[in-house]
Amino acid sequence: KQEVTQIPAALSVPEGENLVLNCSFTDSATYNLQWFRQDPGKGLTSLLLIQSSQREQTSGRLNASLDKSSGRSTLYIAASQPGDSATYLCAVPMIYNQGGKLIFGQGTELSVKP
Amino acid sequence: SQTIHQWPATLVQPVGSPLSLECTVEGTSNPNLYWYRQAAGRGLQLLFYSVGIGQISSEVPQNLSASRPQDRQFILSSKKLLLSDSGFYLCAWSEGDSYEQYFGPGTRLTVT
């Protein structure tokens, strides 16, 4: 059974710092991994999707990597800004599933202080 | 471009009352559709998913049900709400199994 863990649960950094959020999953056969952002009381915004054939994806100041062999993904945020404050969630598909069902980690709550 | 809508945005219902939450997607055809619930302080839990009209799969035994009467419409229902049904309900869609999932704005349900 696929399980997803995110560390740390919460993170507070000063503005301008580079930071790394971690996501680990138990079944290395996953065929993709998706990172989301959630603002308080809002829906999820997709940030990056990494397919199993890729090792990383970049979007602006965000860079996500995927290492299937170790069951890990990292989300790197460069030059953090107060507007980056949100909860970040990673998700992987249920193995052998039909329909693209996702299993989510519990999230990392990020606070960037001005 | 594709958009996903959910309504209502917030809902307060007494225990034992019925429920109907609606989700619609625009700008795509034959999407996979999903209902998730996010309880306070907890992660997202998949409730139902659908790969086509009238095709519904349930992930968690509960007093909720889902229907897909049209290609881009997904409805979450209950005949009698429980206190434990309170939470944040999110609808999502994707073009297929290995594609990105996109989420709606959510419905905050409080059962009193």
Side-chain angles (χ1 to χ4, degrees):
Chain A
K1 178 184 176 182
Q2 180 75 278
E3 294 182 359
V4 182
T5 304
Q6 290 187 248
I7 295 174
L11 182 63
S12 182
V13 301
E15 181 177 5
E17 230 180 65
N18 301 326
L19 58 99
V20 174
L21 307 180
N22 297 292
C23 173
S24 60
F25 47 95
T26 53
D27 195 328
S28 60
T30 188
Y31 53 83
N32 66 40
L33 184 143
Q34 196 167 354
W35 281 95
F36 295 88
R37 168 185 172 140
Q38 185 176 29
D39 293 286
K42 305 294 185 182
L44 277 66
T45 299
S46 177
L47 297 174
L48 292 163
L49 172 72
I50 311 175
Q51 298 287 1
S52 62
S53 58
Q54 301 171 315
R55 292 191 63 83
E56 64 178 60
Q57 277 276 38
T58 298
S59 176
R61 293 182 294 108
L62 305 180
N63 176 276
S65 66
L66 176 63
D67 185 343
K68 288 182 57 179
S69 62
S70 65
R72 293 182 180 179
S73 176
T74 60
L75 179 66
Y76 175 82
I77 303 177
S80 59
Q81 303 171 359
D84 295 329
S85 298
T87 296
Y88 291 81
L89 298 132
C90 65
V92 295
M94 294 183 188
I95 300 302
Y96 308 125
N97 82 101
Q98 294 180 357
K101 297 173 288 183
L102 294 179
I103 299 177
F104 283 82
Q106 293 293 315
T108 294
E109 186 175 355
L110 173 65
S111 176
V112 181
K113 305 296 185 182
Chain B
S1 64
Q2 300 88 0
T3 56
I4 178 169
H5 304 279
Q6 286 187 247
W7 64 89
T10 60
L11 190 60
V12 179
Q13 293 283 92
V15 169
S17 63
L19 172 73
S20 181
L21 303 181
E22 188 166 345
C23 170
T24 59
V25 181
E26 296 177 355
T28 188
S29 60
N30 196 31
N32 288 3
L33 295 172
Y34 311 86
W35 278 112
Y36 291 87
R37 177 171 60 201
Q38 187 175 37
R42 301 178 65 180
L44 278 82
Q45 179 185 43
L46 179 66
L47 301 176
F48 301 94
Y49 75 97
S50 171
V51 298
I53 295 175
Q55 301 179 58
I56 309 294
S57 295
S58 173
E59 289 298 304
V60 181
Q62 59 213 329
N63 70 322
L64 299 172
S65 62
S67 62
R68 185 171 177 173
Q70 300 181 40
D71 181 44
R72 289 167 290 177
Q73 184 184 32
F74 207 23
I75 297 173
L76 183 69
S77 304
S78 174
K79 292 182 179 179
K80 291 185 178 181
L81 283 168
L82 306 173
L83 285 174
S84 58
D85 291 324
S86 293
F88 192 45
Y89 288 82
L90 291 157
C91 180
W93 74 275
S94 69
E95 290 185 344
D97 290 8
S98 61
Y99 292 87
E100 284 183 82
Q101 285 193 22
Y102 299 95
F103 282 73
T107 294
R108 175 74 59 189
L109 172 66
T110 303
V111 182
T112 60

